[in-house]
Amino acid sequence: MAQRILALAAEEGPERLQEALQSLGEGELRDMVTRQALRGRETAALLRGIFKGSPCSQRSGVVRRLQVYKHCIPLVESGDLHLGKVSEIIGLLMLEARQLPGHALAELATLFVDVIKGGSLSNGKSLELFSTLLTALASSKESLAYGKGELNGEEFKKQLINTLCSSKWDPRSVIHLANMFRDIPLSGEELQFVVEKVLRMFSKLDLQEIPPLVYQLLLLSAKGSKKTVLEGIISFFNQLDKMQKEEQRVPQSVDLEVATMPLDQLRHVEGTVILHIVSVINLDQDLGEELMRHLKTEQQKDPARALCPFSVALLLSVAVKHRLQEQIFDFLKTSITRSCKDLQFLQASKFLQDLFPQQYDVTAVILEVVKNSAFGWDHVTQGLVDLGFSLMESYEPRKPFGGKVADTSYGLSKMPAQQACRLGASILLETFKVHEPIRSDILEQVLNRVLTKAASPVSHFIDLLSNIVVSAPLVLQTSSSKVTETFDNLSFLPIDTVQGLLRAVQPLLKVSMSVRDSLILVLQKAIFSRQLDARKAAVAGFLLLLRNFKVLGSLSSSQCSQAIGASQVQADVHACYNSAANEAFCLEILGSLRRCLSQQADVRLMLYEGFYDVLRRNSQLASSIMETLLSQIKQYYLPQPDLLPPLKLEGCIMAQGDQVFLQEPLAHLLCCIQHCLAWYKSTVRLCQGAEDDDEEEEDVGFEQNFEEMLESVTRRMIKSELEDFELDKSADFSLSSGVGVKNNIYAIQVMGICEVLIEYNFNIGNFSKNKFEDVLGLFTCYNKLSEILKEKAGKNKSTLGNKTARSFLSMGFVSTLLTALFRDNAQSHEESLAVLRSSTEFLRYAVSVALQKVQQLEETGQTDGPDGQNPEKMFQNLCKITRVLLWRYTSIPTVVEESGKKKGKSISLLCLEGLLRIFNTVQQLYAARIPQFLQALDIADGDAEETDINVTEKAAFQIRQFQRSLVNQFSSAEDDFNSKETQSLIIVLSTLSKLLDPASQQFLQFLTWTVKICKENALEDIACCKGLLSLLFSLHVLYKSPVSLLRELAQDIHACLGDIDQDIEVESRSHFAIVNAKTAAPTVCLLVLGQADKVLEEVDWLIKKLTSLGSDTSEDSSQASNQTQALEKGVILQLGTLLTVYHELVQTALPAGSCVDTLLRSLSKTYAILTSLVKHYIQACRSTSSTIPGRLEKLVKLSGSHLTPQCYSFITYVQNIHSESLSFAEERKKKKKEDEAAAISTVMAKVLRETKPIPNLIFAIEQYEKFLIHLSKKSKVNLMQYMKLSTSRDFRINASMLDSVLQERNTEDAENEPDDDQNSAAEQTDENQEPKKKRRRKK
C-alpha cells in the first residue's frame, strides 16, 4: 500500500491519491507509517504523499493529518528509530504544521502538554515540533474552545504555558524543555514563569545535569529575566556550599535521607557553571552589567548572600578578560573594606552586637575561594592574583612624614585598610601554594614591585616574598634569572629594602650556586660604588652570606645562645654544606669587608652591628673577626698606662671645609668588641675540648689583649676629667659651629664608651665590690657629660637638644641590671650591690634606659644591640623588665620618694611610664603571647609550666594593683596629688582593660569601680578628668549602650552651669562628682557630645541597615520583619534617650566657644538622623500598608515638646552672647579707634565663625518637619500636632523695645541721635543685630 501511495503522490492531480487514502482506516494508516519508518525507506516521501492527499481545506484531510501527527509524536519518542530518520520526520512535520487550522494546533499542543505531564518524553526531539506548534498557535486569529469559554491563539498559548509550568516535569526532560522555550516567542510574564519553573527544578536534578541546564537558561535569558536567572543560579550554589560546610562540620549526619554530595564533584560542577556564565557574558554584555547591578543591590541588603564563595569566584572569572574588570575590582575592594569597617563597628559596641549576633566576614569568603580554586578552577586564578595585588597596592602602609614605618608583622592589624592589605597578601600566598602554573608570575610581580616602589614602603611585599620562599624554596630555582636581575638593582634600593629582600631570598643562595655567585659579583661592585647606600647594601649582603654559610666545625644553632628564625631553619633543611668551600668563601668575604673599615661611619657602623650575629651563627670565623677588630681598635688605643684619655678621639672625626663629620664610631667599635668577647668566652671556650694547642694559644693571645685593653681603658676613663677630652661646662655645644659639632660628637662618643664599659665591667665583675665601684665611676663620667649636654640644649633651644643620645646598653643587659638593682636579695651580693643602689642617679638612669629601649621596640619592632631583632629574646627581656618595674612601682609609691629636691622625674614615675609603654608594646607586637606575658608577671622566675592561662583573671589581678595606686592618689592630700602620675595610671588601666573579656565578671566589676570613682571624686584636674571619662565610656559601650549615662552627665552639666534663662533655678541632681565648675565646660561637655555623636553614628548605620532590609523581598521575609522590628525598637529607644540628653544641654548656659559650636553641629546631625528615620517609615508605608508604631509617635512627640522649642531658645541665647561681644567691641572702637581695629575684626570673625552652624540647624529642623508632614499624609496619623509653630527667623519686631527707643528719641537732643541709635542697638537682646553684622562684612 505504501508503494501505491508513493506512486500516486508522484502524479500531478491529487484526486486518486485522496481516494486511496480515504479507503485506508486509521489503524492501517498508522501501521503503514510505522513499517515504512522502521524499514527506514522513503518515510519522508510517504508522509509528504499523505499530506498531499490530505488538504487542510477538507475536514477529512485535517483529521487525517492529525492522526499522522498523533502517531508520529510517540513514534519519534519511542527510541526505535535512527536519529537521522527522527530529524527527517520532525522537520517535515514542522514544515506542515503552519498549514494546520487553529483548533488542530490547539489539539496537538494540548496533547504535547499531556505527554510532558506524563513524563513519556525520552529524547526530547519532538519538542522542536511543540515549539513550532506554539509559535503557530500564537499567530492564529480564530477563536478556540477552552473549557467552557473561548480564547484567541495568543491567550490559548499563554494558558498552555501556565499549565505546563504548574505541572510536574520529569527531571530527564528539563534540559530539552529549557532548550525548547528558546524558540517560542514569550511575553515577559511567561518568560518569568518558565525561568522560575526551571530554577525550581535545579534541586531535583542530578548534580552533573546542572551545567547544561544552566547554559540553556543563560541562552534563554537573552529574551529577558536576566536578574532572576543569575539570582537563582547564585543562591542555588550558595545553598549547596552551606550544606556541604554543614556536612563537614557534622560528619555523622543524623539525617541519612540527605544524600551527601562528593566535594570534588560539587566544585567541578561549580567551575563548569562559572565557565558557562563567563562565556555567555562575553557574548552578551548586558548579562555582565545585570550581574553587577544584582550583586550591588544584594550587598546593600545582605552581604552574606551577595558575596558568597560562588559569586566571588564568578566575579573574578568575569574580571579576567572583560571590560567590567575595573568595576568588579572596585566593587570587591569596597565590599572588603566595608565588611572590615562593619566588623570593627560591631566589635566596639555591645548595643550593636546584641542586634547583629551573626557577623559576616568577607575575608574568610575570599580565602575559601582560593581553597576551592584548587579543584581545577584555572579561570579564577588570574582574577585572584590581580585582586591580591590590587588590595596590597591600594591599602599599602603609609610612610609617616620623616619617620620610619613601624614593622607590624608581629602585631595584629586593627585598621580596615591594614586588614585589606593583609588579606591581599594572604590571597597571593595561598594562591601560590595551590596553583603551580602561576607561581613564577606571582614571584615576578612581587619582585617588580619591590624594585619599582623603592620610594614607598615595601615591607608588606617583602614579607610576602619571604613567606613565598619559605613555602616553596625550590620554586625560586626556576625563576632564578628574575632574582639575579633584581640583584643588579640592589645598589639603587634603600638599605631597609635591601636587607629585607636578601633575608627573604636567602634560602635560594644555599640551593643555587649561580645565584650566589651573581650576588657576590653585585656586592663586590657595590663596595666600590660612589653611592653610600650602595656600599651599605654591600655590607648588609656580605654579612648575610657570612651568617648563613657555615664553616666546618661551627656550632650548630642549638648550641647557640639564640634560636634562629623560621625562614633560616627552613633553609637549613634544603642546605647541602660544602664546608671547606664555605671556609674559603667566607674568608674571601671577610677580606672584602675589611676594606669597608676605612669607609664612612655609616658603613663601619653596619659592620660593627653585624659582626656579633656572624660570630653567633658561624663560630669558626671567630679568630678572623676578632683579629680584624683588634687591629681596628689599636689605631685609636693609646697603650701607655698613665696617658689620659686612653683613646685618640681626634682620629675619629674628619673635617671637610667648615663641616665636621664622625669618621670612626669608636663607641660602636668598643661595643662590638665587648659583645663578641663576651660571647666568645661564654660559648666557644666551653665547647673547645681537646683543640689544637697552637690555635688555642693564638686565640688566648687576642682574648688576653682585649681584656688588658678594656681593663686599662676602664681604669683611665675613671681617672679622666672632662677637660682631658676638651669638654667642660665652658665648651661650645651649639650645632651651628664646627667646634660645637665636634664637641657634640666627642661627648656622644665618650658617653657611649662609658656605657659600653659599664656593661663590660658589670658582666665580668661577678658581683665584686671593686668592679661595681668602677661601674659607678664610669657612670659619674657619663652623668657629668649628660648633664652638661642637657643644660646646653635647654639654653640653645636646639631641635636636637631634648633628644637623649641612644643608649649603648643592650636590652638583655638592661633587664639583668634592673633585676640586680631592685630584686636581687642574695646575701653574698648585698655588699657589692649597695654601692650601686646608693646612687639614686644611677637607679634613675637604669630605669630611663629601659624606658628608651621599650620605646624603640614599640616604634620599630626591634632594638639596638645583640638579639635586638630576635622577637623571642625581646619578649623574654620585656617580661623580666616588666616584673622589676611592676614590683618597684607597687612597693615604693611616688609619695615616699624625695623627688622634690632633685630635678627630673622620680623613679616610681619613670617605672610607671615604662609599664605603660610595655603594656602598649605587648598588645601591638606580641598579641598572640599575652597569656605568657601575664603568666610571667605573676611568677617570680617566669618559667612556670604553661597550663591553660585565663587572660581575664591575670589581667584583672594586675588591674587591681593599679586601682589601689589610683585610689591612693585620690585620697592623698592636695599638695601630694600628682597629676602626671594619675594620668599615666588611668592610661595603664584603660590599656589593661582591653585584655578583659567584656562578658566576664571582672569586666563588670572594673566598670562598676570606674563609675564609683567618677561619682565620688570631685576631680578638678582637666587632663585626669578627661582620661577617667574616656575610660568610663570605652568600658560602658562594651557592656551596654551609654545613653542613660550621658543623660545623667548632661543633667550634671546643666545643674553645674545653670540655665540659659537666668530666672530659672536648676534643681541640683548631682550624679557624678567629677562634673564640677572647673570640668563641666568645656571638658565634660565636649566628651559627652563626642560620645553622643558616636551613638548617632551607630543609629545612622542601623537606619541604613533598616532601609536595606525594608527593600528585601526574599522568601525569608518573616525573619526579616522580626529583625526589622528589633532594629526599629533599638533605634527609637536610643534616639529617645539622646533627645533627653540634648534637652538638658540646650537649656544649659554654655560659655561661647567650642561647646556651643559642637552642640549646634551635633543637634543638626540629630535632626538629620530623625529625618532619615522618618524617610524610612515613609518608604515602609509605600511598600506595605502597615501603620506606624506607637513608639515612633512617642519619639516625634518628645522631639516636639522637649527639643525643638528649646533649640530655638538656645539659638536666641547664642545670638545674644554674640550680640554682647559685638557691642562690647563697638564701645572699645569708639574709645580707641586705631589700636582696637585689629581686636574688633578678630571678634567679628569669631562671631561669624561661631554662628555659622545656626542656619544649618534651622534647615535641619525644617527638613525634619517637612518629612513629618509627608509621613502624616501617608500614615493617616497627624504627627504635626506635636510640633509647635516654629519662630519666624526672617523678620521680627520687638514691640516693647520699639516703644522705648521712640520715647528716647523724643526726649533726647537731635545731636545725640546717632549715639542713642548706637546704644539702643547695642542693648537689643534679639536677632536684630544680625543684619548689621552682614552689612559690616560687605564693607
Side-chain angles (χ1 to χ4, degrees), residues 15 47 91 117 166 254 318 356 361 383 426 453 482 599 611 670 813 846 849 851 929 1117 1121 1163 1331:
E15 293 79 12
L47 288 175
K117 277 185 186 176
S166 312
V254 183
V318 173
F356 288 92
D361 184 9
S426 304
K453 289 178 168 285
K482 185 66 203 167
Q599 293 190 2
F611 272 154
L670 260 183
F813 173 68
V849 171
L851 191 58
R929 305 201 54 189
S1117 53
S1121 70
L1163 284 166

Short mmCIF file of all heavy atoms in Angstrom, two decimals, residues 15 47 91 117 166 254 318 356 361 383 426 453 482 599 611 670 813 846 849 851 929 1117 1121 1163 1331:
data_model
loop_
_atom_site.label_atom_id
_atom_site.label_comp_id
_atom_site.label_asym_id
_atom_site.label_seq_id
_atom_site.Cartn_x
_atom_site.Cartn_y
_atom_site.Cartn_z
N GLU A 15 -6.44 13.71 -6.93
CA GLU A 15 -7.74 13.05 -6.70
C GLU A 15 -7.57 11.57 -6.35
O GLU A 15 -8.15 11.08 -5.37
CB GLU A 15 -8.66 13.19 -7.94
CG GLU A 15 -9.11 14.62 -8.23
CD GLU A 15 -8.02 15.44 -8.94
OE1 GLU A 15 -7.02 14.83 -9.39
OE2 GLU A 15 -8.12 16.70 -8.96
N LEU A 47 5.20 10.41 3.98
CA LEU A 47 4.46 11.43 4.75
C LEU A 47 4.05 12.60 3.86
O LEU A 47 2.95 13.13 3.98
CB LEU A 47 5.34 11.93 5.91
CG LEU A 47 5.54 10.94 7.07
CD1 LEU A 47 6.51 11.50 8.08
CD2 LEU A 47 4.22 10.61 7.77
N GLY A 91 11.34 17.39 10.96
CA GLY A 91 11.49 18.53 10.05
C GLY A 91 10.28 18.69 9.16
O GLY A 91 9.76 19.79 8.95
N LYS A 117 3.45 16.08 30.83
CA LYS A 117 2.97 15.80 32.19
C LYS A 117 3.18 14.33 32.54
O LYS A 117 3.55 13.98 33.65
CB LYS A 117 1.48 16.12 32.29
CG LYS A 117 1.16 17.58 32.56
CD LYS A 117 -0.34 17.68 32.75
CE LYS A 117 -0.84 19.09 32.89
NZ LYS A 117 -2.30 19.12 32.99
N SER A 166 2.97 24.77 35.73
CA SER A 166 2.38 24.42 37.02
C SER A 166 2.41 22.91 37.25
O SER A 166 2.18 22.44 38.35
CB SER A 166 0.92 24.88 37.09
OG SER A 166 0.84 26.20 36.67
N VAL A 254 22.82 12.89 61.24
CA VAL A 254 21.71 12.06 61.71
C VAL A 254 20.73 11.84 60.57
O VAL A 254 20.13 10.77 60.43
CB VAL A 254 20.99 12.79 62.90
CG1 VAL A 254 19.87 11.93 63.45
CG2 VAL A 254 21.99 13.14 63.97
N VAL A 318 34.95 36.62 35.58
CA VAL A 318 34.46 37.61 34.59
C VAL A 318 35.50 38.72 34.42
O VAL A 318 35.71 39.24 33.33
CB VAL A 318 33.10 38.20 35.05
CG1 VAL A 318 32.67 39.34 34.13
CG2 VAL A 318 32.03 37.12 35.07
N PHE A 356 22.94 42.39 66.10
CA PHE A 356 23.51 41.60 64.99
C PHE A 356 24.41 40.49 65.56
O PHE A 356 25.62 40.64 65.58
CB PHE A 356 24.34 42.49 64.06
CG PHE A 356 23.52 43.42 63.22
CD1 PHE A 356 23.24 44.70 63.67
CD2 PHE A 356 23.02 43.01 61.99
CE1 PHE A 356 22.47 45.55 62.90
CE2 PHE A 356 22.26 43.87 61.23
CZ PHE A 356 21.97 45.15 61.67
N ASP A 361 32.01 37.94 57.55
CA ASP A 361 33.42 38.30 57.33
C ASP A 361 33.81 37.94 55.90
O ASP A 361 33.95 36.77 55.55
CB ASP A 361 34.29 37.54 58.34
CG ASP A 361 35.75 37.95 58.23
OD1 ASP A 361 36.01 38.93 57.50
OD2 ASP A 361 36.60 37.31 58.84
N GLY A 383 42.26 36.15 38.21
CA GLY A 383 41.48 37.17 38.93
C GLY A 383 41.92 37.28 40.38
O GLY A 383 42.01 38.37 40.93
N SER A 426 47.55 37.41 51.89
CA SER A 426 47.10 36.03 52.16
C SER A 426 46.57 35.38 50.88
O SER A 426 46.84 34.20 50.62
CB SER A 426 45.99 36.02 53.21
OG SER A 426 46.40 36.64 54.37
N LYS A 453 58.81 50.23 43.59
CA LYS A 453 58.19 51.06 44.63
C LYS A 453 59.20 51.42 45.71
O LYS A 453 58.85 51.50 46.89
CB LYS A 453 57.01 50.31 45.25
CG LYS A 453 55.82 50.19 44.34
CD LYS A 453 54.73 49.40 45.00
CE LYS A 453 53.44 49.52 44.24
NZ LYS A 453 52.76 50.77 44.41
N LYS A 482 65.18 35.86 37.25
CA LYS A 482 64.48 37.06 37.71
C LYS A 482 65.12 37.57 39.00
O LYS A 482 65.25 38.78 39.21
CB LYS A 482 63.00 36.70 37.95
CG LYS A 482 62.12 37.86 38.31
CD LYS A 482 61.99 38.85 37.17
CE LYS A 482 61.61 40.22 37.67
NZ LYS A 482 61.77 41.25 36.67
N GLN A 599 85.98 53.11 55.34
CA GLN A 599 84.95 53.96 54.71
C GLN A 599 84.20 54.80 55.74
O GLN A 599 84.58 54.85 56.90
CB GLN A 599 83.99 53.07 53.91
CG GLN A 599 84.69 52.42 52.72
CD GLN A 599 83.72 51.72 51.79
OE1 GLN A 599 82.53 51.75 51.99
NE2 GLN A 599 84.25 51.09 50.77
N PHE A 611 78.75 42.07 63.08
CA PHE A 611 79.77 41.05 63.40
C PHE A 611 79.30 40.07 64.49
O PHE A 611 79.59 38.88 64.44
CB PHE A 611 81.08 41.72 63.85
CG PHE A 611 82.01 42.04 62.70
CD1 PHE A 611 82.94 43.08 62.80
CD2 PHE A 611 81.98 41.29 61.53
CE1 PHE A 611 83.81 43.37 61.74
CE2 PHE A 611 82.84 41.57 60.48
CZ PHE A 611 83.75 42.61 60.58
N LEU A 670 83.88 49.62 70.18
CA LEU A 670 84.10 49.05 71.52
C LEU A 670 82.93 48.15 71.92
O LEU A 670 83.12 47.08 72.51
CB LEU A 670 84.24 50.17 72.53
CG LEU A 670 85.65 50.55 72.95
CD1 LEU A 670 85.61 51.63 74.01
CD2 LEU A 670 86.42 49.34 73.50
N PHE A 813 71.17 43.24 78.84
CA PHE A 813 71.88 43.75 80.00
C PHE A 813 70.97 44.63 80.85
O PHE A 813 71.02 44.59 82.09
CB PHE A 813 73.12 44.54 79.56
CG PHE A 813 73.81 45.23 80.71
CD1 PHE A 813 74.44 44.48 81.70
CD2 PHE A 813 73.81 46.62 80.83
CE1 PHE A 813 75.07 45.11 82.78
CE2 PHE A 813 74.42 47.24 81.90
CZ PHE A 813 75.06 46.48 82.87
N ALA A 846 69.21 53.71 85.07
CA ALA A 846 68.90 52.34 84.65
C ALA A 846 67.45 52.24 84.17
O ALA A 846 67.16 51.64 83.13
CB ALA A 846 69.14 51.37 85.80
N VAL A 849 66.90 54.13 80.78
CA VAL A 849 67.40 53.39 79.61
C VAL A 849 66.40 52.29 79.23
O VAL A 849 66.11 52.08 78.05
CB VAL A 849 68.80 52.78 79.90
CG1 VAL A 849 69.19 51.83 78.77
CG2 VAL A 849 69.84 53.88 80.03
N LEU A 851 63.27 52.44 79.67
CA LEU A 851 62.15 53.17 79.03
C LEU A 851 62.49 53.47 77.57
O LEU A 851 61.67 53.29 76.66
CB LEU A 851 61.93 54.47 79.82
CG LEU A 851 60.67 55.28 79.52
CD1 LEU A 851 59.44 54.45 79.76
CD2 LEU A 851 60.63 56.52 80.41
N ARG A 929 50.92 36.41 72.35
CA ARG A 929 51.64 35.86 73.52
C ARG A 929 51.26 36.57 74.82
O ARG A 929 51.97 36.45 75.82
CB ARG A 929 53.14 35.96 73.28
CG ARG A 929 53.55 35.28 71.97
CD ARG A 929 54.97 34.92 71.92
NE ARG A 929 55.38 34.11 73.05
CZ ARG A 929 56.65 33.81 73.31
NH1 ARG A 929 57.59 34.23 72.50
NH2 ARG A 929 56.98 33.09 74.36
N SER A 1117 11.08 36.67 54.35
CA SER A 1117 10.56 37.99 54.73
C SER A 1117 10.08 38.02 56.18
O SER A 1117 10.18 39.03 56.84
CB SER A 1117 9.42 38.40 53.79
OG SER A 1117 8.46 37.37 53.76
N SER A 1121 11.28 40.64 58.83
CA SER A 1121 10.39 41.59 59.51
C SER A 1121 10.63 41.57 61.02
O SER A 1121 10.58 42.59 61.69
CB SER A 1121 8.92 41.28 59.21
OG SER A 1121 8.55 40.08 59.85
N LEU A 1163 23.36 68.87 67.16
CA LEU A 1163 21.90 68.96 67.02
C LEU A 1163 21.48 68.83 65.56
O LEU A 1163 20.50 68.15 65.24
CB LEU A 1163 21.40 70.30 67.59
CG LEU A 1163 21.35 70.39 69.12
CD1 LEU A 1163 21.18 71.84 69.56
CD2 LEU A 1163 20.20 69.54 69.68
N PRO A 1331 21.50 91.69 60.80
CA PRO A 1331 21.74 92.40 59.53
C PRO A 1331 22.95 93.32 59.61
O PRO A 1331 23.69 93.46 58.68
CB PRO A 1331 20.46 93.19 59.30
CG PRO A 1331 19.43 92.47 60.11
CD PRO A 1331 20.15 91.92 61.30
#
